Amino acid sequence: MTAVDFAAFVENLADIASDTILPFFRTALGAEDKNVGGAFDPVTEADHAAESAMRRLIIETFPDHGIIGEEFGSVRSDADYVWVLDPIDGTKSFIAGMPTWGSLIGLLREGSPTYGMIVQPFTRERFVGDGVGALWRGPGANREVIERKLKTRACGDLSKATLLTTSPLLYAESKLPAFRRVEERVRLSRYGGDCYAFAMLAAGHVDCVIESGLKIYDIAPLIPIIEGAGGIVTNWDGGSATQGGDIVSSGSAELHDTVLKLLQG
């Protein structure tokens, strides 16, 4: 698979996700609850349709590759190359009509994230990274698509930092005090965003993102984008974030070390 072939293939996956999902956005689309009896965990027809379409293209093109997807589970997850798909990261925002969701497409090579893309069809944005560099593509001042490099902001002072998390309501009671220790030290804390929060960190607009209880498909596609933009992403213990769990990402190493110490108490 050449670089040109790979780029074209991933763009095709992104187009399929966009074309499948966007017609459902801000419609009277209903949502089922995947976690009946627990915290509301919605899934929509758009989630299922987009992941099905992306899976078909992957299987047709690369039958030896594995796939890990939010909606339809894993196949060949021990393959050398494994695609990680989250058709709508931020389904709650999606069904509320908020444009802070995205489709996540990632590729693992021998278990390590090597490529990632965030697709936001409504805003016509794509964030891509390979761990070495990262790019944003989206509408410019004249509405034509432009491209620029992503670079995190080098904020080393927590008191001057902007922090994002999707919602404190998603934290287990035992984990929330750790988040609050960081939150009380920052200049600005905002809620909401899902994957788009990590995109804004890679773009240099915020300095830290903290989440709890993520799955592999929530974070693995984001790692090459964040690291390609110069950021850091780990679990709260400072280890690998690839498999999910409690995750923290920062724009600078200095800030990340400070946040880790507070999270660890």
Side-chain angles (χ1 to χ4, degrees):
M1 185 167 57
T2 68
V4 173
D5 292 334
F6 177 78
F9 177 76
V10 176
E11 291 296 332
N12 198 6
L13 279 180
D15 290 341
I16 286 172
S18 298
D19 293 344
T20 304
I21 294 169
L22 193 55
F24 290 97
F25 186 50
R26 293 183 177 171
T27 68
L29 177 69
E32 298 177 10
D33 188 356
K34 293 190 290 186
N35 191 25
V36 177
F40 181 48
D41 186 11
V43 62
T44 70
E45 183 181 346
D47 293 89
H48 288 152
E51 186 172 318
S52 293
M54 287 191 286
R55 280 176 174 265
R56 282 196 299 270
L57 182 60
I58 292 169
I59 292 169
E60 290 170 2
T61 310
F62 303 115
D64 294 332
H65 287 197
I67 303 173
I68 299 173
E70 179 175 14
E71 305 307 333
F72 298 110
S74 303
V75 293
R76 293 182 295 281
S77 59
D78 59 348
D80 287 344
Y81 290 95
V82 178
W83 294 89
V84 183
L85 308 174
D86 189 346
I88 303 178
D89 183 87
T91 304
K92 294 175 184 176
S93 293
F94 183 88
I95 63 177
M98 301 295 291
T100 52
W101 52 275
S103 298
L104 304 186
I105 300 169
L107 181 64
L108 307 180
R109 182 179 181 182
E110 297 179 350
S112 296
T114 59
Y115 187 88
M117 177 184 284
I118 304 170
V119 185
Q120 217 312 329
F122 186 72
T123 61
R124 298 193 295 132
E125 294 179 286
R126 293 183 184 182
F127 302 79
V128 300
D130 62 4
V132 177
L135 297 171
W136 169 85
R137 291 199 303 277
N142 60 2
R143 306 304 295 171
E144 292 183 1
V145 174
I146 61 172
E147 180 177 285
R148 64 170 176 257
K149 290 183 179 180
L150 292 172
K151 178 65 177 174
T152 59
R153 187 161 61 190
C155 174
D157 185 347
L158 192 59
S159 68
K160 297 179 181 179
T162 297
L163 168 69
L164 296 186
T165 193
T166 298
S167 173
L169 296 175
L170 299 176
Y171 289 71
E173 186 175 349
S174 61
K175 301 292 178 65
L176 192 54
F179 169 75
R180 295 296 191 196
R181 284 196 296 271
V182 180
E183 184 179 41
E184 68 185 12
R185 296 271 302 274
V186 301
R187 179 170 64 180
L188 175 64
S189 176
R190 302 293 294 170
Y191 302 156
D194 299 287
C195 64
Y196 206 78
F198 291 96
M200 293 301 95
L201 183 137
H205 300 302
V206 304
D207 304 296
C208 185
V209 180
I210 300 176
E211 300 287 9
S212 183
L214 299 189
K215 306 298 184 184
I216 184 173
Y217 42 75
D218 297 316
I219 190 63
L222 304 178
I223 294 173
I225 302 171
I226 296 163
E227 293 182 343
I232 301 115
V233 55
T234 68
N235 62 28
W236 288 10
D237 294 323
S240 172
T242 301
Q243 295 300 317
D246 300 324
I247 303 300
V248 55
S249 183
S250 308
S252 74
E254 182 180 359
L255 188 71
H256 200 73
D257 288 345
T258 300
V259 173
L260 284 178
K261 289 174 182 177
L262 288 168
L263 289 172
Q264 294 164 14

